[in-house]
Amino acid sequence: MASSGGTAGSSSLASLWSDVNKAGQNGDFTRVLKSVNRILLVAKDDVKALHCKVVCLIQNGNFKDALTLINSNSKLLTSDIIAFEKAYCEYRLNKIETALKTIETAPLKTEKLSELHGQVLYRLERYEECLSVYRELIRNSQDDYDEERQTNLSAVAAAMSLWSKAKPEDLGLQETSYELCYNAACRLIGQGRLREAMKKLRESENLCRQSISEDTDLTEEDIDAELAIIHGQMAYVMQLQGSIDDALQLYNQIIKLKPTDVGLLAVVANNIITINKDQNVFDSKKKVKLTSAEGVEHKLAKRQLQAIEFNKALLSINVTKACMIMKTIKELEHKPGMVSTLVTMHSHDEDIDSAIEVFNQAISWYQEKQPNSRAHLALIREASNFKLKHGRKKEAITDLEQLWKQNPKDIHTLAQLISAYSLVDASKAKVSTAYIHKIGKLPKNCDPKVTPDPERWLPMRERSYYRGKKKGKKKEQIGKGTQGATSAATAELDASKTASSPPTSPRPGVTTANATNSNVVPPRHQKPVGAAGTKKKQQQKKKKGGRSNW
């Protein structure tokens, strides 16, 4: 019996491993994970199964869980087995210094670990070392990924030119792709060769258009989104050359596209702020939020982040100083225009307490000088709406009570008051509801003894008893021509014939940008290599039903 059980167990494990291999070849890592978990129920210390589980978690984007699994099984998953996966998880979790330590202490320097080493050094802005890593990789590698490595090498050279003001020797790179051409333009910007940089950017734009022209599913908006990073760099060159209006127009076009690249958005927004300077402060206050999006700090260079923070500080001092100056004009502090301006400025600065204080001071002035005047009551109304909007229910109740006292038949104010009471004092809300019946208008021909129709608030077409209007049936219009022909209008209304465009695929990662008075859009750098090693660059033409190797 014991022997039979052992055989059955081995057969079951063999079957599970077969499922793992099959699902892995199909790229179904969720299914692989289920099979691996079943294997680990039987053999919890199986190193191969643990390694497979780590890879599955990484492929599914669960980097935190993968790293936890590695660290909790450190005796089994030793550095010689799992160094790459561990460093990759640390890299994706933005633990860059830790990832570097893992790579440097790995006993075996594999090619994919060297690829990741280059990515890590790039993020740490250690460009000289990064350049050496990529040169070594290009020198010793013989595969189909040479163009990707050249792109990374050109990005390092561009970053050195932009941030370190270094002038690396000619690397002899042929600009055969739009990424390589774009990086060359960044390098020229760093050297102050703006005319040449603009020419190179136009070449990059043409190459990008050519590379995506075969994809007939892309709309014009999709194409503009692909070109956004190039256009952002063009706008920056225009700004440096003094063509401010052209640069601003191009910047705003990029923001309207709402690209998913938070680094690009932050750069563009900051450049607009530098153009606005002390003018158009409200627009700058809107744009500054784009520079604080989640993940921006991992996309930009240190100098760039410093410039953004400096601009934020300057922008805040513009608003604070303006408010202080305006408040010194005592003869205007109660005027509706002054109140509106100050409240708007404090709101943009997210200083709600100061905005409410402006309202309260103006209301106090009217209470003393012109009590219950139209301007006084209008100000109270605006103050109550503002307080309700920002969740200040208790403060709004005082204003609403005063308004209702002045006009007990104002059903709108009463409704607002009941809504505010319901969140603060349920008993008051119940008492106030009784007043609704005293002032609420009944419809014509209303019989109080008859129970109202519960669906009376719904449009007639949406009521359960609606049967539609009775009309004579019209003969179906038959088009002229051969038998069975239909009109062109019918075809236009066929939803199945409407082409729909798939969402734009993710862009290659962007990691750095310039930060002097304005920001440069960063050089192009490839995405970090995946858990299964560097993947072959996808063709621009979208493919369906692709299979990934295990």
Side-chain angles (χ1 to χ4, degrees):
M1 290 294 289
S3 175
S4 176
T7 304
S10 300
S11 176
S12 176
L13 283 175
S15 176
L16 287 170
W17 277 115
S18 176
D19 289 342
V20 167
N21 289 326
K22 184 177 179 181
Q25 288 173 359
N26 292 328
D28 188 351
F29 295 102
T30 301
R31 183 180 167 188
V32 173
L33 189 59
K34 290 180 180 178
S35 297
V36 168
N37 282 333
R38 290 174 65 186
I39 291 170
L40 289 171
L41 286 174
V42 179
K44 65 177 182 177
D45 293 336
D46 190 314
V47 174
K48 183 180 177 182
L50 286 169
H51 195 173
C52 281
K53 184 171 182 178
V54 169
V55 172
C56 289
L57 290 170
I58 290 173
Q59 291 285 358
N60 289 333
N62 298 325
F63 306 111
K64 188 175 181 180
D65 292 343
L67 188 58
T68 301
L69 182 64
I70 292 169
N71 291 334
S72 60
N73 291 276
S74 57
K75 291 183 179 179
L76 295 169
L77 297 173
T78 53
S79 183
D80 59 319
I81 297 172
I82 207 75
F84 170 75
E85 286 80 5
K86 184 181 180 184
Y88 183 76
C89 289
E90 290 164 343
Y91 174 86
R92 294 302 299 269
L93 293 169
N94 296 306
K95 299 178 178 181
I96 311 301
E97 294 284 358
T98 309
L100 181 62
K101 185 177 179 181
T102 300
I103 293 168
E104 291 178 339
T105 56
L108 181 64
K109 295 294 190 297
T110 61
E111 188 175 277
K112 62 182 181 181
L113 201 60
S114 294
E115 299 272 7
L116 184 58
H117 191 197
Q119 297 278 353
V120 168
L121 290 171
Y122 187 76
R123 282 282 299 276
L124 291 172
E125 301 180 28
R126 291 165 61 170
Y127 299 125
E128 291 285 355
E129 297 170 72
C130 185
L131 202 68
S132 298
V133 169
Y134 281 125
R135 276 177 164 167
E136 190 70 18
L137 279 167
I138 291 172
R139 189 181 300 117
N140 298 324
S141 300
Q142 294 181 345
D143 51 32
D144 296 328
Y145 307 111
D146 192 54
E147 187 175 302
E148 282 83 349
R149 296 188 185 100
Q150 288 190 29
T151 299
N152 289 345
L153 186 65
S154 68
V156 177
M160 291 175 71
S161 178
L162 290 169
W163 320 132
S164 306
K165 296 303 176 185
K167 191 177 180 181
E169 69 276 17
D170 185 8
L171 301 173
L173 299 174
Q174 295 186 1
E175 294 148 14
T176 53
S177 69
Y178 79 91
E179 292 95 342
L180 282 162
C181 203
Y182 174 86
N183 287 341
C186 291
R187 191 168 64 252
L188 289 168
I189 291 171
Q191 296 169 9
R193 298 157 64 182
L194 300 182
R195 287 188 179 180
E196 295 172 74
M198 181 62 83
K199 183 179 178 181
K200 195 65 67 177
L201 286 169
R202 297 200 185 284
E203 290 178 22
S204 177
E205 180 181 20
N206 291 334
L207 285 171
C208 185
R209 287 187 182 278
Q210 290 172 19
S211 68
I212 60 179
S213 61
E214 296 179 3
D215 194 338
T216 56
D217 289 336
L218 290 179
T219 64
E220 193 63 35
E221 190 174 276
D222 294 331
I223 294 171
D224 287 339
E226 288 289 322
L227 294 169
I229 192 166
I230 301 172
H231 289 162
Q233 202 69 291
M234 285 180 172
Y236 176 67
V237 174
M238 292 174 188
Q239 185 178 351
L240 292 179
Q241 291 175 326
S243 302
I244 302 301
D245 292 339
D246 292 337
L248 194 58
Q249 183 179 3
L250 199 49
Y251 284 141
N252 283 318
Q253 285 176 4
I254 293 169
I255 286 186
K256 285 180 182 177
L257 289 171
K258 298 180 179 178
T260 56
D261 187 341
V262 293
L264 172 61
L265 275 175
V267 169
V268 170
N270 191 60
N271 288 355
I272 292 174
I273 291 169
T274 61
I275 289 174
N276 287 340
K277 295 184 179 178
D278 56 350
Q279 305 296 317
N280 205 357
V281 175
F282 293 154
D283 178 64
S284 293
K285 292 297 288 184
K286 290 180 182 177
K287 298 295 188 297
V288 80
K289 293 180 180 179
L290 296 175
T291 67
S292 305
E294 185 179 356
V296 165
E297 68 275 16
H298 305 306
K299 292 284 187 178
L300 306 180
K302 291 175 183 177
R303 286 181 59 195
Q304 192 173 18
L305 291 171
Q306 289 170 356
I308 287 175
E309 290 305 315
F310 183 74
N311 283 336
K312 284 181 183 178
L314 287 177
L315 189 59
S316 178
I317 293 170
N318 290 342
V319 173
T320 304
K321 187 176 180 180
C323 288
M324 289 175 64
I325 293 171
M326 292 173 71
K327 287 178 181 179
T328 61
I329 311 173
K330 294 298 181 182
E331 62 271 21
L332 296 179
E333 66 179 354
H334 63 282
K335 295 291 185 180
M338 179 66 82
V339 172
S340 176
T341 301
L342 286 170
V343 167
T344 301
M345 292 176 75
H346 283 310
S347 297
H348 277 290
D349 210 28
E350 298 182 0
D351 188 355
I352 305 305
D353 289 331
S354 295
I356 290 175
E357 182 60 26
V358 170
F359 271 124
N360 291 342
Q361 288 181 358
I363 289 171
S364 297
W365 187 94
Y366 279 101
Q367 185 68 44
E368 181 182 349
K369 307 289 185 180
Q370 300 175 18
N372 301 325
S373 63
R374 180 179 294 181
H376 183 206
L377 297 176
L379 199 58
I380 296 173
R381 170 76 65 189
E382 289 302 320
S384 64
N385 289 338
F386 184 85
K387 291 169 185 176
L388 287 172
K389 179 182 176 181
H390 291 90
R392 308 295 180 87
K393 304 291 184 182
K394 291 183 179 180
E395 297 172 72
I397 284 172
T398 303
D399 295 330
L400 290 169
E401 285 176 337
Q402 187 174 352
L403 286 172
W404 190 46
K405 189 182 291 183
Q406 291 299 317
N407 186 6
K409 292 185 179 181
D410 185 352
I411 196 167
H412 176 71
T413 300
L414 181 57
Q416 284 186 305
L417 187 58
I418 292 169
S419 177
Y421 276 149
S422 66
L423 297 173
V424 178
D425 190 333
S427 60
K428 281 190 176 182
K430 188 174 182 180
V431 171
S432 300
T433 304
Y435 288 96
I436 290 284
H437 301 294
K438 295 181 180 180
I439 62 176
K441 291 183 179 180
L442 295 175
K444 294 180 179 179
N445 304 321
C446 175
D447 186 353
K449 297 179 181 178
V450 177
T451 303
D453 179 4
E455 298 183 27
R456 64 190 181 280
W457 306 113
L458 296 174
M460 182 60 72
R461 289 179 176 275
E462 296 179 21
R463 299 182 191 179
S464 59
Y465 48 80
Y466 178 70
R467 294 292 179 268
K469 296 181 180 179
K470 295 181 180 179
K471 292 184 179 180
K473 294 184 178 179
K474 293 183 180 180
K475 292 183 179 180
E476 185 177 355
Q477 298 296 322
I478 301 176
K480 296 180 180 180
T482 57
Q483 184 176 0
T486 57
S487 66
T490 306
E492 291 176 3
L493 295 174
D494 186 353
S496 66
K497 296 181 182 179
T498 304
S500 59
S501 300
T504 308
S505 59
R507 308 184 61 79
V510 176
T511 51
T512 58
N514 189 23
T516 51
N517 291 330
S518 305
N519 290 345
V520 135
V521 185
R524 301 305 297 272
H525 201 258
Q526 298 297 318
K527 284 187 174 180
V529 290
T534 308
K535 294 183 179 179
K536 190 171 182 180
K537 187 176 181 183
Q538 295 180 349
Q539 298 296 324
Q540 291 291 342
K541 182 71 177 177
K542 290 183 173 62
K543 296 181 180 180
K544 298 182 179 178
R547 301 174 71 183
S548 58
N549 294 326
W550 176 247

